[in-house]
Amino acid sequence: MNKPENNPLVENYDLPQFSKIAAEHIKPAVDYTLSEARKKLSQVENSEEISWQSLIEPLSEIGQMVDKVWSPVSHLNSVRNSQDLRVAYQENLGDIVQFSLEMSQSSKIFKALEKLSRSDMCSSFDGAQKRILENFISSAKLSGVGLEGENKEEFNRLAKDLSELETSFSNNVLDATKEFQLLIDNKSYVDSMPQSFLALASQTYEQKYQGKEKKSSTPEDGPWLVTLDAPSFIPFMESCPERQLREKVYKAYITRASSGSFNNEENICKILQYRKRQAELLGYKNYAHVSLARKMAPSVESVYQLETDLLEPSFQAAKKEFSDLNSFAKSQGFKNTHLSQWDTSYWAKKQKEHLFDYTEDQLKPYFSLSNVLKGLFDLSKDIFGIKIVEDDTRIDKWHEDVRFFKIFDEQNQHIASFYLDPFSRPENKRGGAWMGECIVRQKRSDATVDKPVAYLVCNFTPPLGSTPSLLTFRDVETLFHEFGHGLQHMLTKVDYPEASGINGVEWDAVELPSQFMENWCYHEKTFFGFAKHYETQETLDKKTYQKLGDSRKYLAGSSMLRQIQFGLIDMELHDQFDPTGSVSVFEKQLEVVKRTSVLNPLEEDRFICGFSHIFAGGYAAGYYSYKWAEVLSADAFSLFEEVGLENKDELKKIGHLFKDTVLSLGGGEHPMTVFERFRGRPPKVDALLKSYGLSV
């Protein structure tokens, strides 16, 4: 097959040419690349030599070939989604999955891998090489290399179907989120709502009806358009005084993608059924056990034990928090007996303002994106010794808002780069925030090193008119969180792509660097480095900073309880639930919520129809990872607290140790070994409970 001409996906490039990639480029590029990859795969299979150079290196090269084409396509499907791109993505996804299965299920390669693992040569491998070899063998087993005949055919058919179902799930969430809109043209309905929200709702209306025969909107007089996109949904639920409107929007959110043409119910049932069947074909009890086979947690039972240990203290704390919130609401004129789900955010915001004497809208002018980035970069220089410089000259982007940065080490050597896509675009960008891999670090045979490049993607409120992007403090934490993921990808010192950055890291340890970085938002020097008014550059007063720190534990029990609820829903659906049984997924969801919520659950709640983490995002039977890794991250940060958060020299010393272990070693060593090298001992849960204000 000839190489396609004028196709940006197969041209030699340092960075993807996003603006040139069109839907019609995808199939020719995929077909050509898979054809070339199969030739190389055949050469590996037919080689009689058994060595790292003849086996692992060419397999790695094949994987990189395919990733170079498919990775930018997958990325664009998330950040520049369109109907033609979506169709092309889905049409080629099956071929990508099929080739992945061919590689993983090659009996010749599997036998060669096992032979290499038993050879004398293996004893000379470094720790990362041994881990990579073990992971190749483990992945092959979990991909069905041991299956034959009808079982193998069924497994592969299920794998292809699952990839399509998960993509369909994600598309339905995106489309259902876009579909809902609430038009408000009565000024009394938005009375007392913050100006920042009104400006966004007005701008959303203008963008929606631009060029159409509709009256124009202003923040002061409307009309205003409310959507289910996070920058709109969250402040609306927190500040809309009209209870009936809050109920309408809340119920629309928890029933997203649960009816009509974007209904995910069938997708969920099939995904659970197919995962369970695949697990059975592999000889496992269910998918939860498959998931745990490659994680840090030793067993499904250990996950339940962690959730149980945290459930009781968080539930008791949440009960008191809700009782106090209910009493506060009544003291402020709330007439009903109990708060409902659509009331809690509204009254919690008011109670928080009452207790701590500040509002989010008062704080946002002090958290401009540009100032927060500067504070984050200054912190990174102080504790990790890296310099971050914006440099987007000649950088091709997928949107004009995207920015590009380079990272330099203490010798001023360029070591990594990252894209930042900060703003919400509900028309074609999926919600949430994430770090993705653009280029993975690896050392080539000629001793040159591919420098890692990351995608950092968020959904912050964009600039409104002449006002720059202003963040909530939760947005600030999100930015620090995703940057933590990026640091692990970009500061790795591992030269093998299968173990550099987050690759090869057990999934339940991946959140350690990200959650660790969130703690620095409250670090006094860091905070005052970015908390400057966007117009005057006046620094936020220290009294408000102290109140912000005090408010960190506000509703902490409820926050932890919610995460435990998500983790248990995920684990029980993949461990205890029978997708072909008489109990529906919604009944199972309801049963878990009853055990893990202080509010009576709503019968119509269909939250899981939008639970992309576990049905389209790689966290299946793994959502518990957030809490598992939070134990590690809290304990890791406590070492900085022990040496003194104002002790610059000690912070730098411990920061470099964190960089040289957690951020550098990637998947080259087991995460428990890495943690103990940093902390000097196994992790303890005490620091996590203390950070939530719960009893140790």
Side-chain angles (χ1 to χ4, degrees):
M1 180 179 290
N2 294 327
K3 182 178 180 179
E5 296 182 357
N6 301 317
N7 190 317
L9 287 170
V10 294
E11 293 173 0
N12 289 326
Y13 57 76
D14 293 327
L15 293 169
Q17 301 299 296
F18 292 107
S19 67
K20 299 177 183 178
I21 298 172
E24 59 265 25
H25 293 132
I26 297 175
K27 183 170 177 53
V30 169
D31 288 347
Y32 169 75
T33 301
L34 293 185
S35 174
E36 294 298 301
R38 285 189 171 95
K39 292 177 185 177
K40 290 184 177 293
L41 182 62
S42 178
Q43 292 172 2
V44 178
E45 289 179 320
N46 294 321
S47 173
E48 295 183 2
E49 183 183 352
I50 303 294
S51 69
W52 182 270
Q53 291 74 21
S54 67
L55 193 57
I56 303 298
E57 287 185 0
L59 288 176
S60 177
E61 182 183 344
I62 293 169
Q64 294 295 307
M65 283 175 57
V66 177
D67 283 346
K68 189 171 184 178
V69 170
W70 193 245
S71 175
V73 172
S74 181
H75 177 67
L76 286 176
N77 195 50
S78 294
V79 298
R80 201 183 71 193
N81 192 285
S82 65
Q83 186 58 36
D84 56 347
L85 180 65
R86 181 183 294 188
V87 170
Y89 178 87
Q90 290 178 302
E91 285 180 347
N92 289 275
L93 179 60
D95 293 335
I96 296 292
V97 173
Q98 175 60 39
F99 178 73
S100 176
L101 289 169
E102 289 174 23
M103 280 190 67
S104 300
Q105 294 178 349
S106 169
S107 58
K108 291 181 179 179
I109 289 177
F110 181 70
K111 290 175 182 177
L113 289 168
E114 288 198 310
K115 189 173 182 179
L116 179 60
S117 71
R118 295 191 298 266
S119 69
D120 294 338
M121 194 183 312
C122 186
S123 62
S124 66
F125 291 167
D126 61 36
Q129 288 177 300
K130 291 177 181 177
R131 286 258 297 171
I132 291 168
L133 180 55
E134 291 170 2
N135 286 341
F136 263 112
I137 293 172
S138 174
S139 294
K141 291 178 179 178
L142 294 177
S143 297
V145 70
L147 300 177
E148 297 179 353
E150 292 182 358
N151 285 346
K152 183 176 181 179
E153 291 178 5
E154 182 183 4
F155 184 92
N156 290 352
R157 184 175 66 253
L158 291 171
K160 290 181 182 178
D161 289 346
L162 277 168
S163 66
E164 294 173 2
L165 288 166
E166 290 165 3
T167 300
S168 174
F169 184 98
S170 182
N171 288 338
N172 282 346
V173 174
L174 176 62
D175 291 340
T177 302
K178 288 193 297 184
E179 183 182 48
F180 176 86
Q181 57 186 40
L182 174 67
L183 181 64
I184 300 177
D185 55 11
N186 187 330
K187 290 186 70 173
S188 66
Y189 288 169
V190 298
D191 182 44
S192 76
M193 294 186 74
Q195 184 65 24
S196 59
F197 170 79
L198 298 179
L200 174 64
S202 173
Q203 180 171 289
T204 303
Y205 176 91
E206 286 289 299
Q207 291 172 342
K208 175 73 175 179
Y209 296 111
Q210 189 174 27
K212 299 179 181 179
E213 293 184 4
K214 293 275 187 177
K215 65 178 181 179
S216 60
S217 170
T218 65
E220 295 76 19
D221 299 317
W224 304 273
L225 197 64
V226 181
T227 72
L228 299 182
D229 197 44
S232 176
F233 172 75
I234 294 174
F236 178 84
M237 293 304 301
E238 289 180 336
S239 59
C240 177
E242 286 295 316
R243 190 168 187 256
Q244 289 182 331
L245 292 184
R246 294 201 307 270
E247 179 180 1
K248 181 176 182 178
V249 173
Y250 178 82
K251 288 185 174 179
Y253 188 82
I254 64 168
T255 57
R256 274 186 312 165
S258 66
S259 62
S261 56
F262 307 132
N263 192 346
N264 267 333
E265 181 177 1
E266 185 176 353
N267 284 336
I268 290 174
C269 293
K270 286 184 176 179
I271 288 171
L272 292 173
Q273 183 180 342
Y274 293 177
R275 285 174 179 169
K276 187 173 188 292
R277 179 56 185 155
Q278 276 195 321
E280 292 169 347
L281 289 169
L282 293 174
Y284 287 86
K285 180 181 178 182
N286 52 50
Y287 184 79
H289 288 77
V290 173
S291 177
L292 269 291
R294 288 285 305 276
K295 289 188 169 63
M296 191 176 176
S299 65
V300 173
E301 291 71 28
S302 66
V303 173
Y304 284 132
Q305 188 61 55
L306 172 69
E307 303 281 20
T308 301
D309 289 346
L310 297 176
L311 177 59
E312 182 59 23
S314 61
F315 191 88
Q316 293 305 319
K319 278 179 64 177
K320 184 179 186 308
E321 290 166 355
F322 181 74
S323 176
D324 291 345
L325 182 61
N326 204 61
S327 298
F328 171 79
K330 287 185 176 181
S331 73
Q332 300 297 307
F334 182 68
K335 303 299 183 184
N336 295 59
T337 305
H338 293 291
L339 297 173
S340 296
Q341 282 83 349
W342 49 90
D343 298 317
T344 54
S345 294
Y346 177 76
W347 287 107
K349 182 173 184 287
K350 287 189 173 297
Q351 185 188 41
K352 187 176 181 181
E353 292 170 357
H354 174 77
L355 291 172
F356 302 105
D357 194 28
Y358 71 82
T359 69
E360 285 286 355
D361 245 38
Q362 289 172 344
L363 294 183
K364 286 179 72 173
Y366 292 89
F367 302 146
S368 68
L369 177 61
S370 58
N371 281 342
V372 174
L373 283 173
K374 183 181 183 303
L376 175 59
F377 297 166
D378 287 345
L379 168 70
S380 301
K381 184 176 182 180
D382 288 345
I383 62 175
F384 301 133
I386 59 174
K387 181 175 68 174
I388 302 170
V389 178
E390 185 164 14
D391 180 12
D392 58 1
T393 54
R394 301 187 305 278
I395 300 297
D396 192 278
K397 306 170 184 177
W398 57 91
H399 191 274
E400 61 184 7
D401 291 334
V402 175
R403 301 167 68 178
F404 189 80
F405 298 85
K406 290 182 177 179
I407 296 182
F408 297 84
D409 64 15
E410 290 176 296
Q411 287 72 48
N412 207 34
Q413 296 295 309
H414 175 215
I415 58 173
S417 307
F418 65 94
Y419 296 88
L420 175 65
D421 185 353
F423 305 133
S424 169
R425 295 188 298 276
E427 71 279 3
N428 63 9
K429 179 181 176 183
R430 73 176 173 91
W434 66 93
M435 187 283 293
E437 298 175 331
C438 178
I439 296 176
V440 177
R441 176 188 167 98
Q442 66 171 319
K443 181 178 283 188
R444 299 286 184 176
S445 56
D446 61 1
T448 60
V449 176
D450 289 349
K451 298 180 181 68
V453 180
Y455 304 119
L456 300 185
V457 185
C458 300
N459 271 280
F460 302 143
T461 301
L464 300 172
S466 61
T467 303
S469 175
L470 303 178
L471 310 186
T472 66
F473 193 70
R474 182 59 198 138
D475 290 336
V476 175
E477 291 177 308
T478 297
L479 181 61
F480 275 61
H481 178 105
E482 298 307 332
F483 191 70
H485 283 308
L487 287 174
Q488 187 171 31
H489 174 70
M490 295 183 287
L491 300 188
T492 185
K493 294 294 181 65
V494 179
D495 290 328
Y496 313 106
E498 292 78 17
S500 69
I502 65 171
N503 292 291
V505 178
E506 280 73 359
W507 196 252
D508 42 7
V510 165
E511 296 295 335
L512 164 55
S514 55
Q515 293 177 331
F516 164 83
M517 285 299 295
E518 289 186 43
N519 292 287
W520 292 99
C521 299
Y522 297 88
H523 177 231
E524 185 170 343
K525 181 177 183 295
T526 301
F527 181 87
F528 285 114
F530 65 71
K532 301 177 185 296
H533 197 283
Y534 77 95
E535 291 179 313
T536 66
Q537 293 305 305
E538 174 192 4
T539 303
L540 189 67
D541 63 279
K542 194 162 187 176
K543 185 177 180 181
T544 303
Y545 160 72
Q546 291 170 338
K547 291 176 182 177
L548 189 64
D550 293 339
S551 70
R552 189 179 188 184
K553 295 177 182 178
Y554 174 71
L555 297 186
S558 300
S559 174
M560 180 179 283
L561 186 62
R562 183 168 174 79
Q563 289 298 304
I564 293 170
Q565 180 184 113
F566 292 163
L568 286 174
I569 288 173
D570 168 39
M571 189 57 69
E572 292 189 22
L573 282 175
H574 288 99
D575 177 47
Q576 302 174 12
F577 178 70
D578 180 2
T580 61
S582 58
V583 177
S584 74
V585 289
F586 303 127
E587 289 172 327
K588 181 60 181 177
Q589 172 193 335
L590 191 65
E591 184 263 315
V592 176
V593 172
K594 286 179 179 178
R595 289 187 276 120
T596 56
S597 175
V598 297
L599 273 170
N600 291 325
L602 300 174
E603 293 289 338
E604 66 266 42
D605 192 337
R606 299 291 184 268
F607 158 77
I608 58 172
C609 285
F611 201 175
S612 297
H613 273 78
I614 69 170
F615 293 117
Y619 280 83
Y623 195 87
Y624 77 90
S625 300
Y626 283 102
K627 275 289 163 267
W628 189 276
E630 197 174 3
V631 171
L632 304 177
S633 65
D635 200 11
F637 187 73
S638 70
L639 181 56
F640 289 83
E641 293 176 314
E642 289 170 13
V643 301
L645 291 176
E646 305 310 316
N647 189 331
K648 183 177 179 180
D649 291 338
E650 283 298 311
L651 288 186
K652 184 175 182 179
K653 178 181 176 182
I654 302 301
H656 278 58
L657 177 61
F658 188 83
K659 180 184 70 172
D660 294 338
T661 52
V662 176
L663 299 180
S664 295
L665 297 177
E669 294 187 26
H670 191 278
M672 184 61 79
T673 303
V674 174
F675 182 87
E676 291 182 5
R677 284 180 61 176
F678 168 70
R679 197 64 177 88
R681 57 163 174 75
K684 297 179 180 179
V685 74
D686 302 32
L688 174 63
L689 292 174
K690 181 181 177 182
S691 70
Y692 277 82
L694 303 176
S695 58
V696 178

